[in-house]
Every structure is written in C-alpha cells, then in structure tokens.
Amino acid sequence: MIFFNPTLMPTPETALLFMVHNPIPLENYEDHEAALYIQLHELISRSKAEGEDPVALIEEYLEVYYNQGHTAEEIAAFLIGQDKMIHALSLLRSNWKTYSPDAQPESIAYGGLSKQAYLEQYGELNLRSYLETLNTLEW
C-alpha cells in the first residue's frame, strides 16, 4: 500500500518526498520517518543497480562532500542527516503534530493533480528525482 495523505503532504513536492510504501497505514511521525529511511535505502540501491553513482548525485544536488562508506545504509544515513532533509523532516513532523485522522477527508484532487497522478509519479520516483524535489523545498 502506498501511504498518501494530502494533509501531511500539503504540496506536490512534499507529496513526492513523503509518499511511502508501507503494508499498513502510518499512525505517527516516527513510523513515517522509518518508512522514509527504508525508501531512501531502496532508492539508493536501485540507483546503484542502474549504474548511477548515488554519492555523486547527492553531492551534486545537495552541494555537499561525502567521504563515508559506500553501502546503501551508510549513504541513506548520510542523506537523512543533511540540512535539506532535516528541514523536510521537520515540516513532516509539524504536520503530524496537527494531524487528526478523523478530521481529514481523503482528497481525490490535490495541488492540481489527482491522487492517481501522484501515485503514478511515485511509481516513477528515483534517487535523482527525489533529490531534485528535495532541492526545491523552500526554507
């Protein structure tokens, strides 16, 4: 199941950053953050399998220097600790603090796109597009 909630993901950018695959609906920020870490790990692994250099992508898009390990776990941990990712996660945490599942009807159209369009974009998500989207978040 793909977890998509327009209240927690109020813009097209945050929707692409925070949609995750999870077997059950997420109930709190901590579970959502853990699912995001797993997703980053998968994006990095897929990037490597497709012949890309995930470290070079991270350095290019986030303008940082990476000199740590080369496993997907190490790269994902580095990415989670970057300023732009910390900022993105703080937005998500704030949205979870005010979230009430009873008060939020599911939206079928959001930000000019339908829920189906978001799900299709999620299906096409890769590390490059994730980093491009992360780079567009305003501070």
Side-chain angles (χ1 to χ4, degrees), residues 3-105:
F3 182 77
F4 170 79
N5 184 294
T7 302
L8 296 172
M9 306 160 200
T11 66
E13 294 80 19
T14 56
L16 289 176
L17 291 175
F18 301 143
M19 276 191 288
V20 292
H21 183 268
N22 207 55
I24 58 172
L26 300 172
E27 296 181 5
N28 57 53
Y29 169 78
E30 291 75 17
D31 291 345
H32 200 158
E33 182 184 37
L36 284 169
Y37 180 81
I38 292 167
Q39 176 171 288
L40 290 175
H41 180 275
E42 291 170 356
L43 290 173
I44 291 164
S45 294
R46 194 171 349 133
S47 174
K48 283 182 167 187
E50 293 171 355
E52 290 184 316
D53 181 354
V55 170
L57 290 173
I58 292 169
E59 289 179 336
E60 176 185 346
Y61 283 102
L62 302 185
E63 298 175 349
V64 296
Y65 178 71
Y66 180 86
N67 64 353
Q68 298 178 15
H70 296 285
T71 68
E73 294 86 2
E74 292 165 322
I75 297 168
F78 176 81
L79 182 54
I80 287 282
Q82 294 309 296
D83 289 343
K84 290 183 181 186
M85 194 68 191
I86 291 170
H87 172 68
L89 292 173
S90 71
L91 292 173
L92 181 62
R93 182 186 304 267
S94 294
N95 292 346
W96 269 105
K97 285 181 182 177
T98 60
Y99 175 68
S100 171
D102 298 330
Q104 307 300 326

